[in-house]
């Protein structure tokens, strides 16, 4: 007799499938992840290899284009498709690491601040206000300047800059939930602080966090690109999407493909992450389920 | 029924002696915090199988009392005895004591966690307080669901799939999982439809008889109180103003406030009309209590001596009343 516990994952997947946007997003993400894993196999060239006989070639469907440079080449003759495929590695990695750090740390801090309140809350929130008071990119720039340029340090800096949003969001939800009757009922049943925070209250605060996390994913990629452009993030010749975009800026009027494809890659990845996040939020919410 | 007001010979499971709860209130910058006496000297005792109703208007301290009794907060002063053990004021009560008292809330839409299945909710008290095995817990949950009139198949569902009445049954089931001696019912039927209300009251009465539960029934619905209560405690401004058994208090209320309160309930009998007593004004501000009897500013019978001392609960007629005129 299995009345419950019918595989939470299977149930969630069942509801996830109902969202067409979520499925499309997931499909594209699958493609990107495939590129991430098998970049060495599927990329036609080495992403840093410069073909001196093929500078700024347009894509093959263009009259001036030629095989095997499917999406064309950049100003120093590197194959754009190969760079995009390898770039997926960096961009996805940046997004995941930054968002994970910001979400985990931000949620925990917000949960503690909202739940315990008092001077602890005040201390955390004022600290977050200090971070928020700086223009985010400027603060990230300053931090990287202190830590030393490099992709990893840029990621830490971006995560820190994003932290206050998650702290505030979590704190607000927690404060709304913590005096609800079901929390008191759980306390009367003998639940301690840790259980009340993480098992009773937190699941009810997840919806805005999931949305914020998916939005931050794109911001993380873009901020990392901006830092890369300023020479503080990914160092050339790393084929990071944002850095590629920044490098190609000067060719925007005469070689559209150099700018368009990295931009498109960022756009589509971010879009599909948002779609998946939306669908995931709905699928994880029992209230959205049919009886 | 409680025939006599004296301490019952059957096991007293809940006893409050001069229970008080004060809250500090900040009054703004550079001013000393004031004290609100939300609960100011409440005493009663309750035996297994009995129901004590606590009535009074909003803000009179009913819910504060419920929070003290269920150990969500600890009283500022006074004694609270649960199942023969004293709850120490200002100290964290131990787990064993917690098990003996549970609560059912007014709004079944807010008291059930929307993210948990019924099974998870009913299992939580067992997980935290007992060492039962998984299959034992499962059996206990199935048995409890049947006892409150639901089917065991309901265990895998989420709260939003149930109606208000069913949700309240779930809330009752959760409160009973640990076999408490005392259940505090904080307006358990106020949020329900009239037809469902009767069902839930029947269920509560039945559970009380079978399990020998003691109920503290907090309500402002006097027709419900009359039906379910053995004894009634009327509160005003954090103080008890009258304490008597149900029959006595409904036929011959002693305190002017009780009279006014009861005159506000509609009468069902045809042709019978009760004289409405309209209270003037509002309850006094807790930050600035009036001298003497707190009800005196609104009382039709008030005399000068009412403003001199706070009346204590004293025997009058078949019950106890806090009014110097009686």
């Amino acid at each position: 007799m299995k009345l419950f516990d019918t595989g939470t994952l299977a149930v969630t997947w069942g509801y996830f499938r109902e969202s067409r946007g979520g499925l499309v997003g997931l499909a594209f993400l699958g493609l990107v992840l495939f590129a991430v894993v098998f970049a060495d196999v599927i990329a036609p060239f080495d992403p840093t290899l410069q073909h001196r006989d093929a500078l700024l070639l347009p894509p093959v469907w263009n009259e001036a284009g030629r095989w095997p440079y499917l999406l064309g080449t950049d100003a120093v003759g590197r194959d754009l498709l190969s760079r995009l495929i390898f770039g997926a590695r960096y961009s996805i990695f940046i997004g995941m690491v930054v968002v994970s750090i910001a979400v985990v740390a931000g949620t925990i801090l917000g949960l503690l601040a909202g739940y315990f309140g008092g001077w602890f809350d005040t201390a955390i929130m004022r600290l977050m206000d200090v971070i928020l008071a700086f223009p985010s990119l400027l603060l990230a720039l300053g931090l990287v300047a202190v830590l030393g340029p490099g992709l990893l340090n840029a990621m830490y800096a971006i995560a820190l800059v994003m932290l206050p949003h998650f702290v505030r969001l979590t704190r607000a939800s927690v404060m709304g939930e913590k005096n609800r009757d079901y929390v008191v009922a759980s306390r009367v049943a003998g639940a301690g602080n840790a259980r009340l925070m993480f098992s009773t209250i937190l699941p009810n605060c997840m919806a805005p966090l999931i949305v914020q996390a998916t939005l931050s994913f794109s911001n993380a990629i873009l901020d990392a690109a901006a830092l890369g452009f300023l020479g503080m993030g990914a160092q050339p010749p790393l084929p990071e999407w944002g850095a590629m975009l920044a490098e190609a800026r000067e060719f925007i009027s005469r070689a559209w493909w150099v700018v368009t494809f990295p931009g498109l890659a960022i756009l589509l990845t971010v879009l599909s992450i948002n779609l998946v996040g939306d669908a995931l939020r709905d699928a994880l919410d029992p209230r959205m389920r049919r009886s | 029924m409680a025939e006599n007001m004296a301490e019952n010979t059957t096991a007293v499971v809940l006893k409050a002696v001069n229970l008080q709860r004060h809250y500090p209130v900040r009054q703004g910058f550079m001013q000393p915090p004031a004290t609100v006496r939300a609960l100011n000297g409440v005493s009663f005792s309750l035996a297994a199988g009995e129901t004590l109703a606590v009535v009074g208007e909003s803000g009179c301290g009913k819910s504060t009392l419920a929070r003290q009794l269920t150990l969500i907060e600890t009283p500022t002063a006074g004694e609270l005895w649960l199942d023969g053990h004293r709850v120490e004021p200002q100290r964290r009560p131990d787990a064993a004591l917690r098990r003996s008292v549970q609560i059912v809330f007014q709004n079944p839409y807010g008291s059930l966690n929307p993210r948990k299945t019924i099974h998870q909710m009913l299992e939580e008290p067992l997980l935290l307080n007992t060492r039962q095995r998984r299959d034992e817990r499962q059996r206990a949950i199935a048995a409890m669901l049947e006892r409150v009139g639901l089917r065991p198949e309901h265990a895998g569902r989420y709260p939003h799939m149930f109606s208000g009445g069913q949700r309240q049954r779930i809330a009752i089931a959760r409160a009973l999982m640990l076999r408490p001696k005392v259940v505090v019912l904080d307006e358990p039927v106020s949020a329900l439809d009239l037809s469902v209300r009767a069902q839930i009251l029947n269920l509560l009465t039945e559970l009380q008889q079978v399990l020998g539960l003691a109920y503290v029934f907090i309500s402002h619905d006097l027709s419900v109180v009359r039906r379910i209560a053995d004894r009634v405690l009327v509160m005003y401004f954090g103080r008890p103003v009258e304490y008597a058994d149900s029959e006595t208090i409904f036929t011959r209320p002693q305190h002017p406030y009780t009279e006014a309160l009861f005159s506000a309930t509609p009468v069902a009998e045809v042709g019978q009309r009760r004289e409405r007593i309209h209270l003037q004004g509002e309850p006094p501000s807790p930050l600035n209590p009036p001298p003497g009897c707190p009800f005196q500013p609104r009382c039709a019978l008030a005399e000068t001596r009412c403003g001199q001392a706070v009346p204590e609960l004293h025997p009058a007629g078949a019950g106890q009343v806090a009014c110097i005129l009686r």
Side-chain angles (χ1 to χ4, degrees), chain B residues 68-97:
Chain B
Q68 313 308 311
L69 297 182
T70 46
L71 309 179
I72 298 167
E73 291 172 0
T74 49
T76 313
E79 292 173 33
L80 181 61
W81 297 78
L82 254 176
D83 201 18
H85 301 279
R86 171 135 189 224
V87 179
E88 299 293 330
Q90 319 271 22
R91 255 186 51 194
R92 201 183 157 76
D94 61 283
L97 220 51

Side-chain angles (χ1 to χ4, degrees), chain A residues 61-255:
Chain A
W61 57 85
N62 196 299
E63 285 161 21
R66 71 173 138 95
W67 285 98
Y69 310 112
L70 199 60
L71 296 182
T73 59
D74 66 7
V76 288
R78 293 174 295 197
D79 180 48
L80 218 52
L81 180 62
S82 306
R83 285 181 71 74
L84 282 181
I85 290 173
F86 276 95
R89 281 191 174 168
Y90 294 101
S91 293
I92 296 284
F93 175 69
I94 290 167
M96 291 221 284
V97 172
V98 168
V99 171
S100 308
I101 295 175
V103 166
V104 171
T107 306
I108 291 175
L109 282 177
L111 199 53
L112 292 171
Y115 185 82
F116 289 110
W119 66 265
F120 189 73
D121 178 35
T122 314
I124 289 183
M125 292 326 287
R126 291 299 80 77
L127 196 66
M128 292 304 130
D129 286 350
V130 168
I131 298 178
L132 274 179
F134 290 97
S136 61
L137 205 58
L138 196 66
L139 180 61
L141 202 63
L143 280 169
V144 180
V146 172
L147 294 170
L151 194 53
L152 214 58
N153 286 342
M155 280 158 46
Y156 294 144
I158 296 165
L160 190 80
V161 168
M162 284 182 173
L163 198 61
H165 300 279
F166 290 97
V167 175
R168 284 203 161 270
L169 212 55
T170 315
R171 173 175 172 267
S173 311
V174 169
M175 286 173 71
E177 296 289 328
K178 75 170 177 180
N179 288 321
R180 300 276 301 272
D181 283 345
Y182 71 84
V183 181
V184 180
S186 200
R187 187 193 293 276
V188 173
N193 284 337
R195 190 183 173 89
L196 284 177
M197 277 193 283
F198 290 99
S199 168
T200 310
I201 298 178
L202 188 58
N204 285 293
C205 303
M206 285 315 283
L209 285 175
I210 292 174
V211 177
Q212 179 69 26
T214 57
L215 293 176
S216 300
F217 202 102
S218 44
N219 278 338
I221 295 177
L222 294 173
D223 282 0
L227 287 179
F229 179 68
L230 295 168
M232 292 293 193
Q235 303 294 315
L238 275 191
E240 199 265 317
W241 289 347
M244 285 168 70
L245 203 60
E247 277 170 33
R249 210 186 49 143
E250 53 183 299
F251 307 107
I252 193 161
S253 55
R254 53 193 177 103

